[in-house]
Amino acid sequence: MGCSKTSKTICSCIACKPRLRCEFGKVLVVCDMLRNARKLFHLKRSLVQQTSGIHTGSTIMSPKIALVLSGCGVYDGSEVHEASACLVHLSRAGVSVSMFAPDIPQMHVIDHIKGEEMQPARNVLIESARIARGNIKPLSDLQSADFDGVVFPGGFGAAKNLCSWAVDGPSCTVNQDVERVLKAFQGDSKPIGLTCIAPVLAAKCLPGVEVTVGHIEEEDGKWPYAGTAGRIEQCGAKHIAKDVTEAHVDLKTKVVTTPAFMCDTDLHKIFDGIGIMVDNLLKLMK
């Protein structure tokens, strides 16, 4: 016999109790479903952290990479597209990036339209801050113990401001902090990534290192800086020919290099090659 009450208030009569138990059971089912969904969400988040981060004791943390800049602009500083490509690929991989540059005067300043020297003089750290959107520190602050790897984008600044390769070639001198950083990261068995002309820094500071700056022949202008390969070997390093969309991994020194704008090619190929370099760099952390 059904309940005679027409009110929507809760009734405790014999006829309504089964229905109340049924409705309560549905609520319990919904609650269980919500709890299971929350558990699944936290499990997925944990798995993502494990695949994109690294282990530090019992805690999973995102990798930390230092990016070393040499100014702003291809002819007297960091190659902007290369620096940006490094940042994009590192960001996509879930990496925490901090940027550094030496607090020193630039070798010179180039008018990027005329290709001529211009005044006034500029500071490498201040110019690099343009790429870093102001969030940058002096290279003297960079310590290997604080990071899992380091990356040096190319551009003539790497050969003019981080060392004197542009003037002195294989007999060049390397900025003291640049040399310190490279040797510290290698000594701690932490990976080092370099693009474009920046591999000459490793060639000068890390004896016997294997690097690539692309091909050894100009090939009708496709590789306008092909002569760099031979000069790298004069430093005691070994050059490995690679295409622009490839990277070379020296497993012994954990140095990863890619040709980038050493090749006169399409921008997306430069971007892809740097992505390969970053992927291999991160694999060396595991």
Side-chain angles (χ1 to χ4, degrees), residues 7-29:
S7 171
K8 293 183 179 179
T9 59
I10 295 176
C11 177
S12 60
C13 72
I14 296 175
C16 288
K17 281 182 179 179
R19 188 163 65 251
L20 286 171
R21 285 197 295 270
C22 179
E23 294 299 322
F24 185 63
K26 290 180 181 178
V27 172
L28 288 178
V29 169

Side-chain angles (χ1 to χ4, degrees), residues 154-186:
F156 280 95
K160 293 179 176 180
N161 302 326
L162 302 188
C163 70
S164 63
W165 182 276
V167 176
D168 302 320
S171 61
C172 73
T173 57
V174 178
N175 173 274
Q176 184 176 2
D177 277 317
V178 171
E179 183 173 7
R180 173 186 61 79
V181 166
L182 287 169
K183 290 183 175 180
F185 274 81
Q186 188 202 27

Side-chain angles (χ1 to χ4, degrees), residues 3 79-80 82 92 130 159 204 220 257:
C3 178
E79 212 296 323
V80 177
E82 291 185 22
R92 183 170 287 146
R130 296 175 181 272
K204 283 295 295 183
D220 295 324
T257 50

Side-chain angles (χ1 to χ4, degrees), residues 15-232:
C16 288
K17 281 182 179 179
R19 188 163 65 251
L20 286 171
R21 285 197 295 270
C22 179
E23 294 299 322
F24 185 63
K26 290 180 181 178
V27 172
L28 288 178
V29 169
V30 171
C31 289
D32 285 340
M33 290 174 65
L34 289 173
R35 279 194 293 269
N36 289 335
R38 283 196 294 268
K39 289 178 181 178
L40 182 60
F41 169 77
H42 289 300
L43 176 61
K44 287 183 176 179
R45 186 169 65 178
S46 176
L47 289 173
V48 169
Q49 289 174 337
Q50 290 182 46
T51 55
S52 64
I54 58 172
H55 288 276
T56 304
S58 60
T59 304
I60 299 171
M61 302 175 62
S62 295
K64 295 173 65 178
I65 296 292
L67 189 78
V68 179
L69 301 174
S70 60
C72 182
V74 57
Y75 298 126
D76 56 16
S78 292
E79 212 296 323
V80 177
H81 295 293
E82 291 185 22
S84 179
C86 290
L87 290 167
V88 170
H89 286 295
L90 289 167
S91 174
R92 183 170 287 146
V95 174
S96 173
V97 179
S98 298
M99 284 174 267
F100 298 85
D103 187 3
I104 57 174
Q106 289 187 185
M107 173 186 157
H108 58 193
V109 180
I110 299 294
D111 181 326
H112 278 56
I113 296 176
K114 298 178 180 178
E116 300 173 355
E117 289 192 39
M118 58 178 286
Q119 295 296 328
R122 298 184 184 183
N123 176 279
V124 175
L125 178 62
I126 293 173
E127 290 301 297
S128 298
R130 296 175 181 272
I131 297 173
R133 298 171 63 86
N135 189 11
I136 194 166
K137 296 180 180 179
L139 186 57
S140 57
D141 288 355
L142 175 52
Q143 301 296 325
S144 172
D146 299 328
F147 293 90
D148 302 299
V150 63
V151 173
F152 290 78
F156 280 95
K160 293 179 176 180
N161 302 326
L162 302 188
C163 70
S164 63
W165 182 276
V167 176
D168 302 320
S171 61
C172 73
T173 57
V174 178
N175 173 274
Q176 184 176 2
D177 277 317
V178 171
E179 183 173 7
R180 173 186 61 79
V181 166
L182 287 169
K183 290 183 175 180
F185 274 81
Q186 188 202 27
D188 292 340
S189 195
K190 295 180 178 181
I192 301 166
L194 307 104
T195 74
C196 194
I197 190 64
V200 302
L201 299 169
K204 283 295 295 183
C205 297
L206 308 177
V209 67
E210 295 179 359
V211 299
T212 187
V213 290
H215 289 195
I216 61 175
E217 301 290 340
E218 290 193 14
E219 300 175 17
D220 295 324
K222 182 180 179 181
W223 297 92
Y225 310 105
T228 305
R231 290 191 284 275
I232 279 176

